Amino acid sequence: MFRAETIEDGVVRIVMSRELFGKELYPAACYLVGGLLVDTGIAHLRKKLVSFLKGKPFEAIVNTHAHEDHMGANALLQETFQIPIYAHPGALPVIARPGRLKLLPYQKFYFGLPAPAHAEPIAEALEAGGRRFRVHPAPGHSPDHVLLHEEDRGWLFCGDAFIVGQDRVFRGSYDLAEILGTFRRILDLAPETMFTGMGTVLKRPAAKVLGKIAQYEEAAEKAADLFRTGLEEKQISRKLFPGDGMVRIVTTGDFTALKLVRAFLRYKGIGTVSPPALPDRMS
């Protein structure tokens, strides 16, 4: 599936995903705003993105972070249009050598492996197509994540720093303390419109962000209370977040409720499991 539409004052949202039995699988979004392309989607649909962009004025690419659903068309776009790619310094080695992601089978099927591309460190501000974007660090989902804030219109392009919905599974590398810090940074920026990495566009997103902070804080406290009663981490995950079996099987254990519980316990300063060494896998 490849869908492109103008959604707000010239911002073009491009949503890509593979389909299975007519169902969209984990959409990935990129945005064309002024002369800037924010993220490049999935490798499986890179040719469609290049075809769509031909004849359209754009002069630079930013990867919000070095995960395969956000940099899939980097190499083909750079080869075709001869334009620069910018990203957090920590993302550059992965953009240059995407094999470092060590993708699991489900990731290869959903997204594909990006080809190597050359990226440059992003500055604190970026101008493209007459628009100016302030760049802010946004770790948690990934240590190399950035936000792009177009201050004149109050637009915030947040990649996967904020994912809509209530989490019931996590990846082991996610850092809950940093995620919550990024959420509070988003609140400080007070965006009027937030453009997310899965294609959801939120108007005046503060209430959604505050709600997710409250969800995490409440769930972390519940997990900590259960741990203090003597329950093991697996027992807590089954009690708080039952039914993760299908996700666990499809992702071969990459995303599980147990990892979510462990993230909560780390955040509360208890538990037994430390986060894995970087770099992590994507998403």
Side-chain angles (χ1 to χ4, degrees):
M1 184 275 293
F2 182 97
R3 182 175 67 251
E5 57 187 329
T6 301
I7 55 175
E8 177 163 335
D9 195 23
V11 177
V12 178
R13 174 177 57 191
I14 304 159
V15 181
M16 309 179 205
S17 72
R18 299 203 79 184
E19 294 182 84
L20 184 64
F21 304 122
K23 182 178 180 180
E24 295 179 12
L25 303 174
Y26 203 99
C30 46
Y31 299 91
L32 183 62
V33 49
L36 184 66
L37 182 65
V38 182
D39 288 326
T40 68
I42 67 175
H44 289 314
L45 296 175
R46 62 193 182 279
K47 292 181 181 178
K48 288 193 174 184
L49 181 59
V50 167
S51 178
F52 173 76
L53 291 171
K54 283 182 177 177
K56 294 179 174 60
F58 79 105
E59 58 200 63
I61 293 167
V62 168
N63 292 148
T64 57
H65 58 300
H67 282 171
E68 65 269 25
D69 55 341
H70 295 265
M71 60 185 220
N74 276 7
L76 187 57
L77 286 168
Q78 196 166 59
E79 177 185 345
T80 303
F81 298 105
Q82 302 297 305
I83 58 174
I85 299 171
Y86 298 104
H88 186 285
L92 305 187
V94 179
I95 294 171
R97 294 178 57 198
R100 292 166 64 103
L101 290 167
K102 296 180 172 60
L103 300 186
L104 294 169
Y106 85 95
Q107 295 168 298
K108 294 176 183 177
F109 177 76
Y110 279 21
F111 312 118
L113 178 64
H118 172 74
E120 302 173 26
I122 196 166
E124 293 182 359
L126 178 68
E127 294 190 13
R131 297 194 181 277
R132 189 170 190 270
F133 302 86
R134 297 287 299 178
V135 180
H136 300 273
H141 175 85
S142 179
D144 59 4
H145 207 301
V146 296
L147 307 170
L148 299 175
H149 189 207
E150 207 281 12
E151 296 174 315
D152 289 343
R153 297 302 305 269
W155 292 340
L156 188 68
F157 296 87
C158 73
D160 286 341
F162 184 87
I163 297 174
V164 176
Q166 184 170 3
D167 294 292
R168 301 185 64 81
V169 293
F170 241 33
R171 169 175 279 156
S173 59
Y174 291 175
D175 187 306
L176 184 57
E178 289 194 333
I179 287 173
L180 290 171
T182 289
F183 288 176
R184 294 183 177 103
R185 183 170 295 112
I186 290 171
L187 291 174
D188 289 342
L189 295 173
E192 285 293 317
T193 308
M194 188 159 71
F195 303 84
T196 75
M198 293 183 70
T200 302
V201 177
L202 300 173
K203 292 285 190 179
R204 290 173 291 281
K208 290 280 189 184
V209 178
L210 285 167
K212 195 145 190 177
I213 291 173
Q215 287 174 10
Y216 278 146
E217 294 281 6
E218 181 181 351
E221 191 59 40
K222 286 181 180 178
D225 286 344
L226 290 170
F227 186 83
R228 294 185 189 106
T229 68
L231 288 187
E232 296 180 355
E233 294 165 341
K234 287 184 179 180
Q235 294 173 308
I236 297 169
S237 69
R238 287 194 289 266
K239 187 176 184 65
L240 293 182
F241 306 105
D244 72 332
M246 183 58 69
V247 173
R248 194 170 65 245
I249 292 168
V250 168
T251 67
T252 57
D254 197 23
F255 283 90
T256 68
L258 177 59
K259 290 177 181 178
L260 178 58
V261 166
R262 286 172 172 169
F264 287 146
L265 296 179
R266 285 198 301 268
Y267 174 66
K268 300 300 287 187
I270 56 179
T272 58
V273 179
S274 299
L278 299 172
D280 71 319
R281 298 187 182 97
M282 152 220 106
S283 196

